[in-house]
Amino acid sequence: MTIAQKFLTQFPLLSKAPSQSGLRELCIDLDQVHRYEIQKGGRVTYRSRNTSNDLRERYKKAEMVTPVTFCQRDPCKTIFQKFFTTFKTAAMGGPPIAGTNTNVAVIPTPNFPGLRESGEAKKTYNDGSKTNPKLRNLITTTDGNVLQQLDPVTLEPIRLFTYGDIDDSLKSSNLAPAHPCVDPDTGEYFTVLLTFGPTALYKVVRIKESAKGPSHAPDLDVLAEIKSPRPTYMHSFALTKRYVVVTHWQCDFAAWGLSVLWYGNAWESFKTHEPNTKASFYVVDRHAGRHVATFECDPYYSFHNVNAFDDGDDVIVDLASYKDHTVIGDYFIDNLRDEANGKPPQQAVLRRFRLRNITKHASATLASGSPPKPVPSEVVFQLDPNINFELPSINPGKFLRNYRYAYGVNRSGQNKTLIYDRIIKVDLSKIKEGSTGGSEHMAAAKFWIEDQCTPSEPVFVPTPGATEEDDGVLLSIVLDGRRRTGFLLILNAQTLEEIARADMPEGKVAPHNFHGMFIPSF
């Protein structure tokens, strides 16, 4: 079995810039991909690779970070630089310059439709490693209109490409959520492309394998084009078996998106929070290819959707919700380290929305010939803030389906860690509709915690042939602050009790990461 964990790391770059520049050392988050392979007998092997070497050399030569980043010009100042990568391609509206000259560093995704097998269909590598027949290719994505293909065994960068390379109509698009959605039953790949302008344009896109076969270019369909006055930064969105749901929360770019070019980074380009501006859910029929309904709710912000599914004629959307996007500023390292005067960082809570009577709204939209009129959504429940919830994970067999258990990371406040210190499991069947906290919420949660340890997203691996939803294990890469090292942690997904761990060799550290994926070898 193989777990491919992809995350960002930092390397130091000593600057010889003049004193008036204020540059002495640049701490820059560039892409590094890590691969853990669990072999028979319990042996774990590890390999990693830097995938932005050209960009690294350009930074060294320029002695600065150029030209556009996610947060401030000194990326050491925020821990969220680990979450997001360069906005160069998004801001400039063009393709990357060279094969490793763009930082594409958020989500690994296997088996992109129509992409030729990685490594020229290699079967055996020089070190004896073999390709996995379940893994035809491997790509990584970021929040811009750019993707990177990697060799799934060696992790060697193969090429960079954009959605515009597949369809010319997408060449001018600027942003796309780092988290695509893939239907596990059909292999269809979905994303949402945003084009900046006086009227923001969102294109809901489906990519699937060509009817001519996997060696041909994939089929790409623009299912809907949605116009909005708000160009919004969206890190993820939702999918069900019938619909794509564009979760249009509030994190809007100023000046139609041109502010990114002016400030040189995305964080300073966001407008201030507007409490009177509603958030929206745009519902797109993935089979009919139409925008069929729009729902509204009070403003919120989110990085990650947990899951979504059809419930009769309704749609359920679960996500990790923040009050507003100022959470990004809360995680500036200076704030986190100032225990006496620093602002306590906002924490996300798991919130469930219900979008009612989709067919009814779709019929009214079709009859009117106009864009759907917004109608209210419903908040079914919201978890107690004491069991805050981020980096969600579920049993992959329950993706796009009704489910019971959600896993993630949590900040207890008990440990001296800058971010999350617990792995959490929540039994959603124990949460009553309309509830927002209380003893029943605490009773629905289980935790794993270890002193001064920071876990990554827990990746659920089901037991083969399992009949219970939580029958499996959780895999997490843990940064150990006490021993200044890290380890691969394996937990019983039912009890959160430790089954095993694989420590990094003495003196070696696998840096903290956020997202990963698991690929079985059988």
Side-chain angles (χ1 to χ4, degrees), residues 359-370:
T359 301
K360 171 186 174 182
H361 298 299
S363 298
T365 299
L366 186 62
S368 70
S370 302

Side-chain angles (χ1 to χ4, degrees), residues 146-378:
V146 59
L147 308 90
Q148 185 174 47
Q149 182 181 4
L150 305 178
D151 186 293
V153 175
T154 68
L155 308 180
E156 179 182 1
I158 295 174
R159 68 177 179 126
L160 289 159
F161 63 101
T162 72
Y163 293 106
D165 293 329
I166 304 172
D167 189 294
D168 287 344
S169 69
L170 303 178
K171 286 186 180 296
S172 62
S173 296
N174 301 107
L175 300 184
H179 291 263
C181 287
V182 180
D183 188 322
D185 298 322
T186 66
E188 294 171 300
Y189 177 106
F190 296 84
T191 190
V192 181
L193 277 294
L194 165 63
T195 303
F196 290 145
T199 299
L201 180 63
Y202 297 90
K203 294 185 178 182
V204 180
V205 171
R206 176 182 61 203
I207 304 173
K208 60 182 180 180
E209 186 176 293
S210 170
K212 298 177 182 179
S215 62
H216 293 266
D219 293 332
L220 186 148
D221 299 301
V222 177
L223 301 180
E225 295 188 357
I226 302 168
K227 295 180 180 180
S228 169
R230 297 198 294 118
T232 296
Y233 166 71
M234 288 186 289
H235 189 61
S236 64
F237 62 103
L239 180 71
T240 76
K241 298 300 291 184
R242 297 173 62 188
Y243 303 105
V244 179
V245 182
V246 181
T247 44
H248 193 202
W249 45 64
Q250 191 180 135
C251 185
D252 300 345
F253 291 96
W256 311 324
L258 296 178
S259 53
V260 179
L261 292 175
W262 176 259
Y263 288 107
N265 67 81
W267 163 238
E268 291 182 306
S269 306
F270 296 142
K271 297 171 65 176
T272 57
H273 177 69
E274 297 179 355
N276 296 321
T277 298
K278 296 286 188 180
S280 300
F281 298 90
Y282 303 128
V283 182
V284 174
D285 189 320
R286 53 181 277 194
H287 304 294
R290 289 189 295 112
H291 175 200
V292 296
T294 296
F295 294 83
E296 288 184 337
C297 66
D298 290 336
Y300 71 97
Y301 175 69
S302 179
F303 290 116
H304 299 112
N305 281 272
V306 182
N307 194 22
F309 56 91
D310 302 306
D311 185 24
D313 198 31
D314 301 347
V315 165
I316 299 294
V317 177
D318 292 347
L319 47 79
S321 172
Y322 294 91
K323 179 185 67 175
D324 56 50
H325 71 273
T326 60
V327 58
I328 301 171
D330 294 348
Y331 275 90
F332 275 62
I333 291 177
D334 287 345
N335 180 68
L336 293 174
R337 286 178 172 165
D338 189 351
E339 296 182 7
N341 303 307
K343 175 186 175 184
Q346 249 191 93
Q347 300 297 326
V349 293
L350 196 158
R351 182 185 293 178
R352 171 166 290 184
F353 290 91
R354 180 179 292 275
L355 314 180
R356 286 195 180 274
N357 303 319
I358 305 294
T359 301
K360 171 186 174 182
H361 298 299
S363 298
T365 299
L366 186 62
S368 70
S370 302
K373 294 182 178 180
V375 296
S377 62
E378 299 176 15

